[in-house]
Structure formats: structure tokens, C-alpha cells
């Protein structure tokens, strides 16, 4: 009986040892291998710019490679779907912004994912406004000039965007409504092509994020007429806001952030949130964001979730009011 009891005790001890080893393996410090940041837009835009800088600093902090993978297509849907269906282990993350995550639910009635419920909000990164830029040959030195010109020539002036339903398209629709002007929307496949055609004079104007267009403003290739935020940006203090140009209350300042697949371990989410927060408070990142005309945005996962839900509702109202529909 004693020998039998000892044998059973050994079996139990061995089993508990296996459980302990499995638990230890499961509790392996994160990250232990390459982390992928998926950007659902093409290279060169603000999302890509922010993701690459953040990826560099996270890699230095974690001692593991953090790589950026661009999966552009269908206004961000393709890359976003890829992350929604990825393993919820923290190694595949989505770097996105309000312009796709909060807008697409109102544009695509049959999205292959739920923009809120299929993701775990991890951390916000930054907020940055949009510049209204114009071809330098357009006889408008500021927004007041542009509005006056548009009223003189209804339907003659154009504004480019990165696609129907994009934030830069929707801001243009908001300005049209507020200023009571008739300007023609010209959608492109990506902001880079839109900016190129503004420079070339094929279209008159475009709304574009500060990081995407700031180099062209500084080089004199385009003229900045106004900025969409409530306050002027430090990177271009001479550019007035739309609000101070005659349209009080106009303020659009979209967020950029990181999301993980739903059901990602809460401990991993909170670790990434804390580490991103540390980076956003660091001098290298604050200087970088300032140079891009952006401001760090630090929120908890819970705060980020509330922001996402609020913006889904906000943009739904804008899209309905402007009767924006995909062609």
C-alpha cells in the first residue's frame, strides 16, 4: 500500500511539473520574436510614417525586431481584415487611423469584420490635422480667397482625395457645406497620387495630413491655405485654421493608433500600451511627431475604445449628411 501511495504521489508530482512547465512557457515574456505592424495603407502616408518610427523605437526597447508590412487596398479593408483574422497573440498588430477604422463601417455595409468588436484597442499614437493645399498657380493665397473664387465659378474648382469616403474627402464635403460652395471631388487611389496632381496642376486643391504634405509645403511645391485643427500646428505656424478663416467651430484632428485581434491577452495589451506610452513621452518621439505636425496621443485601452466608438458615430453622421456613397 505504501509503495502504491508513493507511486501515485510521483505521478501527481510529475503531472504538476508538466503543468508548471506549460504555464512557464505560456508566461514567456512578450515579445519573444518578431512583431509585425500591419499598415492598411500604401507606403508614404501618415500611417506608414508613424508606424515605421514607432516600430524602430519599439524594436530598440524590446530587443526584438518590429517590422512594418503594408497591406493596402479597398480603403484599408484588406489590411484590417488580415489583422482581424490573425492569431490573438500580440505578434500581429494593426496600425491604423480614424479615417479607415471609424469611417469604413458607414461606407461598406458588408465589411468582413466588425471595426469595434473584432479588435482589442491597444494604444493611441498621435493626432494630426489636415492641410488644405492648393496648386501654386491657383489665384488664392488663403482660404478666404479660395472660397470667393469657388463662389465666382461654381463647379469649376476641384479637390482631390485618396478615395471616396476617405477622411480627406469627408473634410472637403464638410467645407463645401459650411462655406456653401460647389467644388468637384476627384478621388485617387492613395494620397501620394493626389498630391502629385495638385503639384502638377491637374487638380486645384486637396486635403492631406500634415506628415504627408509638409515637405511639399516647405519646398514651395504647394501652397497651404488652411489647417483643419482647432489650433495652428507648430510645424507650420503661419498657416491659419479653417475656424479662424471664417468658419468657427470647424475642427478635425484624427487619431492614429494600434489595435490587436479580439481576445488578445489583456496582459499583452497593457504591456504594449505602457511601452508605447513610454515612447510617446520620450524626446526622440515627441521631437519626431512635432516635426511631422502631429501631437502625441496617450490613452488607456479603455479610453481608446470609447474614442473609437464615438468616432464611428461621428463619421456616420457626416457621411449621411453629405450622402456619400461608393460608386
Amino acid at each position: 500500500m505504501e509503495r502504491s501511495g508513493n507511486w501515485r504521489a510521483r505521478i501527481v508530482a510529475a503531472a504538476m511539473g508538466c503543468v508548471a512547465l506549460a504555464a512557464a512557457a505560456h508566461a514567456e515574456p512578450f515579445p519573444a520574436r518578431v512583431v509585425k505592424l500591419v499598415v492598411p495603407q500604401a507606403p508614404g502616408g501618415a500611417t506608414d510614417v508613424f508606424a515605421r518610427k514607432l516600430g524602430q523605437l519599439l524594436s530598440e526597447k524590446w530587443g526584438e525586431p518590429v517590422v512594418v508590412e503594408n497591406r493596402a487596398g479597398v480603403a484599408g479593408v484588406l489590411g484590417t481584415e488580415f489583422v482581424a483574422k490573425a492569431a490573438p497573440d500580440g505578434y500581429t498588430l494593426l496600425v491604423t487611423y480614424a479615417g479607415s477604422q471609424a469611417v469604413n463601417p458607414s461606407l461598406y455595409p458588408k465589411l468582413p469584420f466588425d471595426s469595434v468588436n473584432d479588435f482589442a484597442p491597444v494604444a493611441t499614437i498621435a493626432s494630426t490635422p489636415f492641410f488644405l493645399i492648393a496648386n501654386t498657380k491657383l489665384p488664392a493665397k488663403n482660404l478666404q480667397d479660395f472660397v470667393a473664387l469657388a463662389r465666382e465659378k461654381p463647379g469649376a474648382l476641384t479637390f482631390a482625395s485618396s478615395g471616396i469616403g476617405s477622411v480627406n474627402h469627408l473634410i472637403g464635403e464638410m467645407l463645401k457645406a459650411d462655406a456653401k460652395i460647389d467644388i468637384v471631388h476627384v478621388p485617387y487611389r492613395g494620397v501620394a497620387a493626389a498630391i502629385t496632381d495638385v503639384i502638377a496642376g491637374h487638380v486645384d486643391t486637396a486635403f492631406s495630413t500634415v506628415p504627408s504634405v509638409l515637405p511639399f509645403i516647405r519646398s514651395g511645391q504647394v501652397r497651404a491655405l488652411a489647417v483643419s485643427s482647432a489650433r495652428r500646428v507648430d510645424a507650420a505656424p503661419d498657416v491659419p485654421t479653417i475656424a479662424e478663416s471664417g468658419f468657427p467651430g470647424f475642427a478635425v484632428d484624427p487619431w492614429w493608433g494600434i489595435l490587436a485581434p479580439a481576445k488578445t491577452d489583456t496582459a499583452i495589451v497593457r504591456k504594449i500600451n505602457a511601452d508605447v506610452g513610454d515612447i510617446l513621452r520620450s524626446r526622440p518621439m515627441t521631437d519626431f511627431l512635432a516635426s511631422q505636425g502631429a501631437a502625441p496621443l496617450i490613452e488607456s485601452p479603455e479610453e481608446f475604445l470609447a474614442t473609437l466608438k464615438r468616432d464611428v458615430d461621428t463619421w456616420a453622421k457626416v457621411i449621411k449628411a453629405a450622402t456619400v456613397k461608393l460608386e
Side-chain angles (χ1 to χ4, degrees):
M1 289 293 292
E2 184 178 347
R3 288 181 180 179
S4 176
N6 288 341
W7 191 73
R8 283 197 297 270
R10 288 174 187 156
I11 292 176
V12 171
M16 291 179 67
C18 290
V19 170
L21 286 173
H26 179 72
E28 184 179 53
F30 176 90
R33 52 188 169 87
V34 176
V35 175
K36 183 185 298 183
L37 300 181
V38 176
V39 173
Q41 284 85 30
T47 309
D48 182 68
V49 170
F50 292 154
R52 292 186 184 279
K53 183 62 176 181
L54 184 62
Q56 171 203 332
L57 297 176
L58 279 173
S59 182
E60 293 172 3
K61 187 175 185 67
W62 287 342
E64 294 288 348
V66 178
V67 300
V68 174
E69 180 177 305
N70 296 87
R71 285 181 172 262
V74 197
V77 172
L78 294 184
T80 306
E81 179 185 8
F82 176 80
V83 175
K85 296 179 178 178
D89 55 12
Y91 288 95
T92 302
L93 303 170
L94 179 70
V95 178
T96 188
Y97 83 120
S100 56
Q101 201 71 17
V103 170
N104 284 345
S106 295
L107 292 175
Y108 298 90
K110 295 183 179 180
L111 282 175
F113 54 82
D114 185 295
S115 289
V116 175
N117 296 324
D118 286 343
F119 297 90
V122 176
T124 44
I125 300 170
S127 62
T128 185
F130 284 66
F131 278 130
L132 173 59
I133 59 169
N135 174 265
T136 55
K137 295 180 181 178
L138 189 72
K141 303 298 183 183
N142 51 48
L143 182 58
Q144 293 96 327
D145 289 348
F146 176 71
V147 169
L149 190 62
R151 287 173 178 168
E152 289 174 12
K153 302 177 179 180
L157 299 182
T158 55
F159 76 101
S161 80
S162 56
I164 296 173
S166 60
V167 166
N168 42 17
H169 171 210
L170 297 179
I171 298 175
E173 295 293 343
M174 292 168 67
L175 179 62
K176 284 172 61 177
D178 284 8
K180 296 179 175 57
I181 55 176
D182 178 15
I183 54 177
V184 179
H185 176 226
V186 182
Y188 285 77
R189 289 190 173 183
V191 71
I195 295 170
T196 298
D197 271 11
V198 173
I199 294 171
H202 300 312
V203 285
D204 298 308
T205 63
F207 276 99
S208 179
T209 57
V210 175
S212 298
V213 79
L214 193 57
F216 303 106
I217 294 172
R218 288 173 171 167
S219 66
Q221 292 175 274
V222 296
R223 179 182 299 123
L225 302 181
V227 65
S228 69
S229 51
R231 298 178 181 178
R232 297 190 185 197
V233 296
D234 292 339
D238 294 334
V239 180
T241 67
I242 294 176
E244 67 182 293
S245 300
F247 305 97
F250 195 109
V252 179
D253 210 6
W255 52 260
W256 273 255
I258 302 171
L259 295 104
K263 299 182 181 179
T264 299
D265 191 306
T266 302
I268 292 176
V269 168
R270 295 206 174 279
K271 173 177 173 49
I272 300 173
N273 180 276
D275 290 344
V276 169
D278 289 344
I279 288 172
L280 291 176
R281 295 181 186 93
S282 70
R283 187 62 179 269
M285 192 63 174
T286 55
D287 286 351
F288 169 77
L289 290 175
S291 73
Q292 299 295 316
L297 180 62
I298 302 174
E299 293 185 342
S300 68
E302 293 79 14
E303 290 170 332
F304 186 12
L305 177 60
T307 296
L308 174 57
K309 288 181 176 179
R310 183 190 66 239
D311 281 5
V312 168
D313 292 339
T314 297
W315 288 114
K317 293 174 183 175
V318 173
I319 289 168
K320 182 178 180 180
T323 62
V324 175
K325 294 182 179 180
L326 297 176
E327 296 177 350

